[in-house]
Amino acid sequence: MQAIVNDNAQYAKVVLACGYRSKIREIDFSQILEDENVEAALKEAAEVSMGTEIADIDVLNIQSLAEQVLSMTEYRIQLFDYLKNRMNAIAPNLTILVGELVGARLISHAGSLMNLAKQPASTVQILGAEKALFRALKTKHDTPKYGLIYHASLIGQAAPKNKGKISRVLAAKAALATRVDALSDETSEQVDTTIGYESRAKVEARLRQLEGGDGTIASSTNKDGALTTGKTAKYTPEAAKPGYNDASDMVLDKDNGDDDDDSDEKKKEKKEKKKKKDKKKRKADDDDDDAAAKAAKKAAKKAKKEKRKSKE
């Protein structure tokens, strides 16, 4: 039965409706199961299925558990609807970028929407991976590339090698969208979601560019939030033109041709002066070495005399 009915809610409803396996053939599951083929497969599997018979008390416990599963499923749907409405009201631009669940987790982790808006994009990128960050800093390993933002749909669409780049771009756009949501005028009737749709379009364009596609970006949005078909012109880098432009050089004025001769003579004089300085340096070094050798000899003679005196 688990292989035939994949949905948990439908599975629990079938258990509540039939109870015993022997009654499955008589019950109509058209209101529970939308596909007739699934219903036929379920009834055929019930006839062929092998298993021990269960008691009445076991059936009651199984049905009570199925009721709890149904109630939790309904509560989950209601909670998601509530979260979706609240996120669209509080942070619509952030919701457009990362979704309701990821946006709510980011706000919850930061403490509030205003605290999240105060964070830089680099912090938004690794928000939720603080333990891994400090462990990497302590052990001098590579820091994490993403935290809670990893679960966003845009990062899920990227290839594994591009997830770090897309998370960085998405975090930068999410930081801007969060600041717009936190600091915008709350009294306005219609919320401006232009930056959210434009940022998402830019992230998608970056994703296509990394995957080897066209890097053009759908730039403008309508007031209702729908993207237009207009695209910005793609930048195509051009190679520099060959050749050298002499006119752009700054050249010093020359009075006459004697300046070149003077400069050559000055160079010769400098070389001669340098040679003389080197000779003087060498002589001074040789004199120092001789003086040091003489002093060493005198010290050795004194030491010998003192030894002789001490022996006598």
Side-chain angles (χ1 to χ4, degrees):
M1 183 175 170
Q2 186 177 1
I4 299 169
V5 184
N6 297 323
D7 188 34
N8 293 330
Q10 290 181 354
Y11 189 97
K13 287 178 181 177
V14 169
V15 171
L16 285 173
C18 66
Y20 290 99
R21 182 181 56 191
S22 58
K23 295 181 181 179
I24 291 180
R25 192 70 182 175
E26 303 170 358
I27 300 171
D28 183 18
F29 295 106
S30 59
Q31 295 181 355
I32 300 172
L33 302 173
E34 298 176 357
D35 193 357
E36 294 179 357
N37 296 328
V38 176
E39 183 179 355
L42 179 62
K43 290 182 178 180
E44 288 177 4
E47 291 180 358
V48 182
S49 176
M50 296 174 64
T52 58
E53 297 295 333
I54 56 177
D56 295 338
I57 189 168
D58 294 333
V59 173
L60 291 175
N61 288 327
I62 291 170
Q63 287 180 343
S64 65
L65 180 60
E67 288 176 356
Q68 291 178 15
V69 170
L70 281 175
S71 64
M72 290 175 68
T73 305
E74 291 175 358
Y75 175 69
R76 185 179 181 180
I77 293 170
Q78 292 175 1
L79 189 62
F80 181 74
D81 291 338
Y82 168 76
L83 179 65
K84 187 176 180 180
N85 295 330
R86 291 297 297 164
M87 284 299 295
N88 286 328
I90 294 172
N93 292 294
L94 181 64
T95 303
I96 291 166
L97 274 174
V98 298
E100 293 87 2
L101 287 174
V102 179
R105 286 177 182 176
L106 288 172
I107 294 172
S108 175
H109 197 82
S112 66
L113 182 64
M114 187 59 69
N115 289 342
L116 183 62
K118 293 176 183 178
Q119 304 295 336
S122 58
T123 304
V124 175
Q125 182 180 351
I126 59 170
L127 204 65
E130 289 84 0
K131 189 180 289 186
L133 174 65
F134 293 123
R135 184 172 61 247
L137 293 174
K138 188 176 181 180
T139 57
K140 294 183 180 179
H141 284 81
D142 293 336
T143 54
K145 295 180 181 178
Y146 26 65
L148 292 171
I149 204 170
Y150 177 79
H151 301 286
S153 61
L154 288 171
I155 297 178
Q157 296 172 13
K161 63 179 181 180
N162 297 328
K163 285 186 185 294
K165 295 179 181 179
I166 293 299
S167 65
R168 185 167 63 248
V169 176
L170 183 60
K173 300 300 180 185
L176 293 175
T178 306
R179 290 163 192 169
V180 171
D181 292 332
L183 304 173
S184 60
D185 188 9
E186 297 179 355
T187 59
S188 59
E189 296 179 358
Q190 189 174 0
V191 182
D192 187 13
T193 56
T194 305
I195 190 170
Y197 283 103
E198 285 185 350
S199 300
R200 187 179 179 89
K202 289 178 182 178
V203 176
E204 289 175 351
R206 176 62 175 159
L207 179 60
R208 289 194 300 271
Q209 187 180 11
L210 290 173
E211 291 176 354
D214 189 8
T216 55
I217 302 171
S219 58
S220 58
T221 57
N222 296 327
K223 289 185 177 179
D224 57 354
L227 288 173
T228 61
T229 56
K231 293 184 178 180
T232 57
K234 186 179 178 182
Y235 172 70
T236 53
E238 296 179 357
K241 294 180 180 179
Y244 184 75
N245 188 10
D246 297 333
S248 61
D249 290 343
M250 295 180 65
V251 182
L252 296 174
D253 295 332
K254 295 181 180 180
D255 296 336
N256 48 29
D258 296 336
D259 294 340
D260 294 336
D261 299 336
D262 295 341
S263 62
D264 292 337
E265 290 178 0
K266 287 179 181 178
K267 286 180 181 178
K268 288 180 181 178
E269 289 178 1
K270 285 181 180 179
K271 285 182 181 179
E272 290 177 358
K273 287 181 180 179
K274 194 174 182 182
K275 285 181 181 178
K276 290 179 180 179
K277 284 182 180 179
D278 293 338
K279 285 182 181 179
K280 287 181 180 179
K281 267 189 177 182
R282 287 173 189 171
K283 285 182 180 179
D285 293 336
D286 294 339
D287 294 339
D288 292 339
D289 293 338
D290 293 339
K294 288 179 181 178
K297 284 181 181 179
K298 286 182 181 180
K301 287 180 180 180
K302 284 183 181 179
K304 285 181 181 180
K305 286 181 181 180
E306 289 176 358
K307 282 183 181 179
R308 285 174 184 175
K309 287 180 180 179
S310 61
K311 285 180 181 180
E312 291 174 356

